[in-house]
Amino acid sequence: AQKVTQAQTEISVVEKEDVTLDCVYETRDTTYYLFWYKQPPSGELVFLIRRNSFDEQNEISGRYSWNFQKSTSSFNFTITASQVVDSAVYFCALSEARHNTDKLIFGTGTRLQVFP
Amino acid sequence: GAVVSQHPSWVICKSGTSVKIECRSLDFQATTMFWYRQFPKQSLMLMATSNEGSKATYEQGVEKDKFLINHASLTLSTLTVTSAHPEDSSFYICSARPGQGYQPQHFGDGTRLSIL
């Protein structure tokens, strides 16, 4: 069965601190996709990144970086030098590629609060 | 690009009424759209997958007669909550996937539904 676990329910940091949001997934498929979405207080979901299961290269985009490790089934997300605007709920999600469907299985989310 | 518009953003209505929520892909065609529900401080749960020109595929436990989905064109899917009751109060959010293949889903801004 597919499952996404975000063990950290809530994280509070002070501005400029680095913070890592953990994501562990379970799937029986060899081909799958992993995502991170940001949900600010206004409610909309903002797409941050998608990775396919064959690409384990880490990725950096500005202050954001992602560490994908198949050996531990983890896809962790790090924000460097956090800012107040980073405060949001962050969701990790999994999509399996079989059956030509891309249903997203979401984790329970991690609420990040960045204090000035 | 890849903008998804959802309307209305907020609905308050009396118990027993039906509520229609629209999801439009503004700058792309979406053969597949997805409807999610999110209870306060919880994750997004997929309700159904909406395919243009065919019947929606509902997730287990979602009443198809309660949540009517119509995907009549490549840019519009609607979700109608029939005979809504207070327990249907939730945040409903749609997503659309551009084109074929595994493009990431792009989400609308969501609809907050409050049934009195």
Side-chain angles (χ1 to χ4, degrees), chain A residues 37 39 50 97 102-103 107, chain B residues 34 38 43 59 97 102 105:
Chain A
Y37 285 89
Q39 187 177 42
R50 181 188 67 162
D102 56 356
K103 288 167 47 173
Chain B
F34 303 85
Q38 184 182 28
S43 189
E59 295 300 300
R97 178 167 58 80
Y102 295 98
Q105 294 179 28

Side-chain angles (χ1 to χ4, degrees), chain A:
Chain A
Q2 319 119 24
K3 185 179 179 182
V4 177
T5 301
Q6 293 179 257
Q8 304 150 308
T9 307
E10 193 162 337
I11 300 176
S12 295
V13 299
V14 177
E15 219 172 9
K16 297 185 183 177
E17 283 186 27
D18 298 347
V19 58
T20 295
L21 310 181
D22 297 334
C23 174
V24 175
Y25 62 92
E26 294 177 31
T27 178
R28 292 178 183 168
D29 280 11
T30 55
T31 303
Y32 51 90
Y33 294 83
L34 295 164
F35 302 78
W36 275 95
Y37 285 89
K38 174 182 180 180
Q39 187 177 42
S42 48
E44 75 274 19
L45 273 178
V46 179
F47 166 78
L48 296 179
I49 190 172
R50 181 188 67 162
R51 282 311 249 208
N52 73 54
S53 51
F54 298 109
D55 183 1
E56 285 193 72
Q57 280 192 342
N58 292 331
E59 181 155 340
I60 298 175
S61 176
R63 294 184 298 107
Y64 295 168
S65 62
W66 291 269
N67 184 343
F68 177 27
Q69 292 198 350
K70 289 180 76 170
S71 60
T72 55
S73 297
S74 65
F75 186 43
N76 297 337
F77 172 33
T78 297
I79 302 175
T80 304
S82 59
Q83 300 176 1
V84 173
V85 293
D86 296 327
S87 298
V89 180
Y90 291 86
F91 290 98
C92 180
L94 166 71
S95 170
E96 293 179 337
R98 60 175 169 164
H99 305 312
N100 198 30
T101 178
D102 56 356
K103 288 167 47 173
L104 283 174
I105 308 298
F106 284 88
T108 49
T110 297
R111 182 176 301 274
L112 174 64
Q113 291 192 322
V114 182
F115 293 98

